[in-house]
Amino acid sequence: MTAFTALAGGLRDRLRDADRMDAAAAFAIRVSGAGLTLLSQLIAARWLGLAGFGAFSNAWVWAALAAALAQAGLASTTTRFASAYRTQDDRQSLLGLILFSQAVAFGLGLVAMLATMLIATRPAIGLGPAQIDALLVGALAVPLLAQIDIGKGLTRAAGSAALAYLPGMLLRPALLLAGIAALIGIGAAADAATAMWASLVAVIGAWIIQWAIATWRLRSAWRVWPPSWQKRRWSGVSAGVLVSDAYLLIVASVDIFLLNILASPETGGAYFAAAKLAALTSYVFFAVSAVAQGRLAALAAQGASDRFEETSRRFCGLTLWPTLAAATGLALAGPFLLDLFGAGFREASGPLLLLIAAYIVQATTGPIRVLLIMTDHQKHLALLLTACAVLCIGLNLVLIPALGIWGAAWAFFATTTAASLSMALLARRSLGFWCVPLVTRARRDA
């Protein structure tokens, strides 16, 4: 009985830890969504074939990159400022932030949509007809994807990373899976553009639910009028954050772009499958980062420096070891999982291991990018990540023609390692402590 009581007490203590529970819930959503995404991609790859899947994945990467640029850094900015406004009970500023971020994301999303369509159809880009058709459909999703990112940022600020990620990470893959299954069931044409129409429907569904959740979680802001506007301040912070967001998208996208152009859609499709599998190891990292944004922003607004440092270290410690466990399992199962995509995908088995190693390096610094943004160091971060983005593009341009799919993997590993080390040094210089789980407390305080 005593042992049972002690166990129950330990469980209660863990349940009281809101950060850990929210991170666990966000992680569960991401893992469940990853499973659905993987299943939908497996079915799509077998339905479309290697070349068709390459065109489909290329279109989706273009749309995701355009949407990330269209939200102009406001997804993280809204988390930072909305958390502060809620702490200060400043509902008028909160309402202004909501309206401003929505309008900017949708307006720039329309511009990005048209720009994507124009760029994709230029002969100089070198895309084939199937790739262009898929891209034109994918471009229609750009304004909605940008607004989903804004809704995600606001929901994080409202105190729930799990609800923030539910529509985009779980609902959208579920709708995509249902859409692809329906297309196969009715005997629709097996081409990338048709698959992208299913993706567009899934995005529309996720967009509706995302904003229903954000509106409900921040419903108190809608009861005040007029809103208070701080456009210059929001825009100034967002500019630095945009560079950080752009870096993440460049690192995750430029290799796939260039493989489709400099190699072939088949090579791009195989690499995309490996990249999606490797990204499974990063879900602990992103789940912890999702929770960290709101918590660290609130502590920074309160000026609680001791609690801020303690919480930052705790978030860093939550990231590495689960990532190592996931990476080990994925490395062992990788070749088998690639075979599930169909013939020709196994060529990415070696590069998959290198991509997994890059995510392990990233996990050693925890949610350090979020830490720097929430403490108003986004300008220095922007300069650092701009250099890393240039490094990434340069390495891909040099290594892909020489090494093919291996060149893309080495470029990703080198860039991720450089960025992680640089951000750790910047955090130590700016905040006074090492945000690295492998460093002991004594050495951090040295």
Side-chain angles (χ1 to χ4, degrees), residues 346-364:
R346 196 181 180 92
E347 70 167 293
S349 297
L352 171 62
L353 297 178
L354 199 52
L355 297 176
I356 292 172
Y359 283 114
I360 294 174
V361 172
Q362 177 181 262
T364 61

Side-chain angles (χ1 to χ4, degrees), residues 65-82:
L65 177 60
L69 296 177
Q71 54 91 4
L74 284 166
S76 294
T77 301
T78 52
T79 301
R80 171 180 165 181
F81 284 105

Side-chain angles (χ1 to χ4, degrees), residues 265-303:
E266 290 83 359
T267 303
Y271 183 82
F272 182 78
K276 284 298 180 183
L277 288 174
L280 295 175
T281 62
S282 71
Y283 281 10
V284 173
F285 171 85
F286 284 111
V288 173
S289 296
V291 178
Q293 290 197 39
R295 302 291 187 271
L296 294 177
L299 290 173
Q302 295 167 9

Side-chain angles (χ1 to χ4, degrees), residues 2-234:
T2 304
F4 177 81
T5 304
L7 177 60
L11 290 174
R12 282 196 300 271
D13 289 341
R14 287 182 175 270
L15 289 174
R16 292 190 188 104
D17 189 338
D19 291 345
R20 183 172 293 154
M21 293 302 296
D22 199 20
F27 175 71
I29 288 172
R30 291 195 70 121
V31 169
S32 300
L36 291 172
T37 300
L38 183 60
L39 182 58
S40 65
Q41 288 170 348
L42 286 171
I43 294 173
R46 288 190 168 272
W47 180 46
L48 299 173
L50 187 54
F53 184 70
F56 170 72
S57 60
N58 185 57
W60 179 252
V61 168
W62 275 67
L65 177 60
L69 296 177
Q71 54 91 4
L74 284 166
S76 294
T77 301
T78 52
T79 301
R80 171 180 165 181
F81 284 105
S83 296
Y85 295 149
R86 289 183 74 244
T87 300
Q88 299 158 5
D89 196 28
D90 186 354
R91 290 184 290 173
Q92 288 180 300
S93 294
L94 178 57
L95 178 59
L97 177 65
I98 294 171
L99 297 175
F100 175 77
S101 58
Q102 276 186 303
V104 169
F106 191 74
L108 291 180
L110 291 175
V111 174
M113 177 189 74
L114 295 174
T116 300
M117 290 177 170
L118 290 172
I119 293 171
T121 54
R122 290 186 63 84
I125 300 298
L127 298 176
Q131 294 170 305
I132 293 174
D133 290 344
L135 257 172
L136 294 177
V137 179
L140 298 175
V142 170
L144 300 181
L145 287 170
Q147 281 212 317
I148 287 173
D149 279 347
I150 300 299
K152 188 192 306 179
L154 290 168
T155 307
R156 284 195 301 255
S160 177
L163 286 177
Y165 283 94
L166 179 64
M169 294 294 174
L170 188 60
L171 177 62
R172 186 185 60 76
L175 291 175
L176 175 59
L177 178 61
I180 291 177
L183 289 172
I184 295 173
I186 64 175
D191 59 62
T194 302
M196 283 307 300
W197 280 112
S199 294
L200 179 59
V201 172
V203 168
I204 292 172
W207 174 74
I208 293 171
I209 300 301
Q210 185 78 69
W211 277 99
I213 293 173
T215 301
W216 172 63
R217 294 285 295 186
L218 297 172
R219 56 192 178 275
S220 63
W222 298 96
R223 299 171 186 163
V224 298
W225 196 266
S228 176
W229 306 100
Q230 301 177 37
K231 300 176 189 176
R232 291 189 64 181
R233 187 181 183 199
W234 299 330

